[in-house]
């Protein structure tokens, strides 16, 4: 894989600089912390602030979801690494409009630790902070240990719901409840067909042999639940839908949102090929697709593959999902 | 490159099926031609219809730009191949709201031939048709033979301007003039770092050796103007900006729109690294970035690389560029 690269050590700073420059109508850099991207609409006086953060290399996640009625501030980490506690703390400060801050982030050891430290310090500064930890990745732990599961592309839907709820003027408790419901209602699975390389490392930190695929792979190449022969797109779509829906166990008639994200190097047309089959399988189970998102929403550098997220909807979540949003990634 | 694939012969049908299913709020399939995607808002009674078309494999182009105040109907070709004259004709029919149809397409032999045939037949059916041929790709022919240049990502800005102009109730002549100005004001260049493979062929139809890059490469791997050692991202950005702006020759103070599109497999963070440098170079020349678009807007399957498009703006184009649009790709 050849790439557009200067010094590998500068890639995150350069990415953030280009991002903020390109989308200055929606986002800005925190004047005190170059690893914090802030919405131009933040802080929202008297509204709950929404914060997230995570490693770089997943663009448009995380920074791309900063904007209007979405995430107010993002803590930016190195490639595939957690942001610092200080960056989370500064993001909380930047998002604080006086009604508390909801930190909605993914279940990774570094993020957990740093968010906890940041929340503690923010509380000392008089900012009310509450958190939701995303754990939508079905294959990363069994159903009865859901608290061990990682957060993946379902986080985008959690931010969408949380941001929309905050925009209604809801309390911190209500925003947290909506975001928690959003991620509780999400299940995701990833399938990897090819690895990615951290530029500073120079070789992939995991392998997928030609002719094979890895089902349940994580966003940083974390091992999946099985490596098997590469199947047809329809068979893969069937497997992904089955993994997600068997874990989900939704009553017939449930309306769902479906998000298929490419992992970086998979052509967009293939995502639509997958979607067509996934949607057919969802409908065959008596469920109804209310909204679909197909594209590169949560990537892993140039990993080849895709993730499927299905979120069960209800009368609270549907209007929040439909609410107006303006951010670069959505 | 491993991929999500059923029978290679079905890939376009499956892509279109998945696309229409995912975005049924914005688009639908023409009931008479499964290779024509139509906006849910078309035909617009008393408004000029906007039609385009081209080969598949460039998603979200072309189908992704179908929607509200954008393209009304798209003729869909096989991978990297022109749609048929019949599909262009059916697209014209679907887009016709009684005020004429503007076909805004790229300068490729097959498209030229098929659009001409389609326009002739549509005129026989009583539909007024006029065309604009995009030729923004600087490296595909010298400046004094601009009519030979290919159309690339500048087409997206042409559709945006044409669609917005049509929405104002402008005449066919006025829509054509605006779209022609849009593409006349665009210059683009592509740089390839890695090839792509047509699934039915199974191997790349062109090569880029490791350590090399191809400057001026076309959207189907058409040869560029030079193959050279892979440079740093900043050097590539400098070269791209120079190629585009030297050809453009814009007066100081000109406001521009900048579009950086990944070609398929390039990670999105690298596009922002390029953008940061490109924008700095544009500003160093005394120009001003009015709007920036960075992402996978016009791809070539899993080609590695990026394209840069710069469009000069004026008081007519700016509000049209800013006008409300709803389509899956934008």
């Amino acid at each position: 894989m050849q790439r557009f690269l200067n010094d590998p050590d500068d890639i995150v700073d350069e990415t953030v600089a280009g991002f903020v420059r390109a989308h200055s109508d929606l986002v800005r850099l925190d004047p005190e912390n170059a690893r914090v991207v802030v919405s131009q609409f933040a802080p929202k006086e008297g509204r709950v602030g929404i914060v997230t953060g995570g490693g770089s290399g997943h663009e448009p996640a995380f920074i791309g979801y900063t904007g209007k009625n979405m995430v107010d501030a993002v803590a930016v980490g190195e490639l595939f690494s957690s942001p610092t506690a200080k960056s989370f703390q500064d993001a909380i400060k930047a998002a604080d409009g006086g009604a508390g801050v909801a930190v909605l982030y993914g279940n990774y050891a570094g993020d957990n630790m740093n968010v906890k430290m940041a929340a503690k310090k923010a509380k000392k500064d008089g900012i009310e902070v509450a958190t939701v930890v995303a754990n939508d990745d079905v294959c990363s732990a069994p159903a009865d240990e859901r608290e061990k599961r990682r957060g993946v592309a379902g986080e985008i839907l959690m931010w969408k719901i949380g941001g929309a709820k905050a925009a209604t003027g809801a309390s911190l408790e209500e925003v947290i409840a909506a975001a928690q419901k959003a991620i509780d209602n999400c299940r995701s699975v990833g399938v990897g067909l090819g690895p990615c390389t951290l530029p500073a490392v120079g070789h992939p930190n995991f392998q997928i042999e030609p002719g094979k695929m890895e089902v349940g792979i994580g966003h940083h190449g974390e091992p999946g639940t099985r490596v098997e022969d590469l199947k047809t797109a329809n068979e893969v779509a069937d497997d992904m839908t089955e993994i997600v829906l068997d874990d989900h166990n939704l009553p017939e008639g449930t309306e769902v949102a479906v998000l298929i994200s490419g992992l970086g190097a998979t052509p967009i047309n293939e995502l639509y090929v997958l979607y067509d089959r996934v949607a057919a399988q969802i409908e065959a189970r008596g469920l109804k697709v209310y909204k679909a998102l197909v594209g590169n929403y949560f990537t892993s550098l140039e990993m080849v593959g895709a993730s499927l997220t299905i979120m069960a909807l209800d009368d609270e979540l549907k209007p929040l999902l439909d609410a107006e949003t303006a951010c670069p990634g959505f």
Side-chain angles (χ1 to χ4, degrees), chain A:
Chain A
M1 174 76 183
Q2 304 208 102
R3 57 178 81 246
F4 297 113
L5 182 67
N6 298 307
D7 184 332
D9 288 345
D10 297 334
I11 194 166
V12 173
D13 287 334
E14 291 171 349
T15 298
V16 171
F19 176 80
V20 169
R21 199 195 271 255
H23 306 295
S24 58
D25 53 331
L26 294 169
V27 301
R28 58 190 164 87
L29 212 53
D30 186 310
E32 288 168 28
N33 187 330
R35 290 298 171 88
V36 174
V37 172
V38 185
S39 164
Q40 289 288 18
F41 307 91
K44 304 162 305 192
E45 202 58 49
R47 294 278 183 272
V48 172
I50 306 290
V51 162
T52 192
S56 295
H58 301 297
E59 289 71 23
F62 297 76
I63 50 178
Y65 300 102
T66 320
K68 194 177 175 187
N69 299 343
M70 195 76 180
V71 176
D72 291 300
V74 174
V76 178
E78 292 296 316
L79 289 177
F80 290 7
S81 296
S82 175
T84 63
K86 179 73 170 66
S87 292
F88 274 116
Q89 193 191 342
D90 288 342
I92 291 168
K93 209 181 293 178
D96 175 35
V101 173
V103 185
L104 314 177
Y105 70 103
N107 190 24
Y108 296 89
D111 296 320
N112 275 319
M113 188 181 70
N114 291 323
V115 167
K116 254 175 217 151
M117 284 171 59
K120 214 170 157 181
K121 289 195 175 178
K123 280 175 195 172
K124 273 192 190 162
D125 293 342
I127 305 173
E128 202 185 352
V129 178
T131 61
V132 177
V133 186
N135 46 15
D136 51 309
D137 191 357
V138 168
C139 290
S140 53
D144 57 358
E145 298 180 283
R146 198 171 173 198
E147 74 288 353
K148 292 190 183 167
R149 287 181 176 173
R150 295 182 296 258
V152 284
E155 293 180 41
I156 298 166
L157 299 170
M158 171 180 71
W159 301 325
K160 177 75 185 76
I161 297 299
K165 189 75 183 181
T168 67
S171 69
L172 180 58
E173 198 181 341
E174 290 166 333
V175 170
I176 289 290
Q180 185 70 57
K181 187 202 270 188
I183 201 68
D184 284 349
N185 283 15
C186 277
R187 299 288 188 286
S188 300
V189 65
V191 170
L193 307 190
C196 62
T197 292
L198 289 168
V201 177
H203 58 82
N205 61 337
F206 61 102
Q207 291 294 341
I208 297 169
E209 300 301 325
K212 299 286 178 184
M213 64 181 197
E214 182 146 358
V215 178
I217 197 165
H219 268 313
H220 314 93
E222 295 94 336
T225 46
R226 58 184 199 250
V227 174
E228 55 188 17
D229 291 346
L230 179 58
K231 296 177 174 177
T232 66
N234 282 350
E235 289 168 329
V236 175
D238 291 354
D239 286 355
M240 292 173 90
T241 315
E242 192 179 306
I243 288 168
V244 165
L245 290 182
D246 282 1
D247 195 88
H248 231 327
N249 199 19
L250 300 172
E252 208 166 306
T254 305
E255 291 178 283
V256 298
V258 182
L259 164 59
I260 292 191
S261 178
L263 296 185
T266 285
I268 290 168
N269 64 337
E270 296 180 25
L271 304 179
Y272 283 112
V273 170
L274 287 179
Y275 177 74
D276 195 43
R277 181 71 170 205
V278 164
Q281 295 296 82
I282 288 171
E283 285 160 18
R285 290 198 182 212
L287 309 174
K288 209 185 142 203
V289 179
Y290 178 78
K291 197 182 197 79
L293 300 164
V294 181
N296 288 312
Y297 285 92
F298 202 126
T299 65
S300 295
L301 295 170
E302 74 280 12
M303 207 189 292
V304 184
S307 70
L308 166 66
T309 301
I310 297 178
M311 177 166 77
L313 298 172
D314 62 17
D315 289 343
E316 181 191 10
L317 295 178
K318 280 195 287 182
L320 294 172
L321 189 60
D322 290 338
E324 191 216 337
T325 303
C327 66
F330 211 62

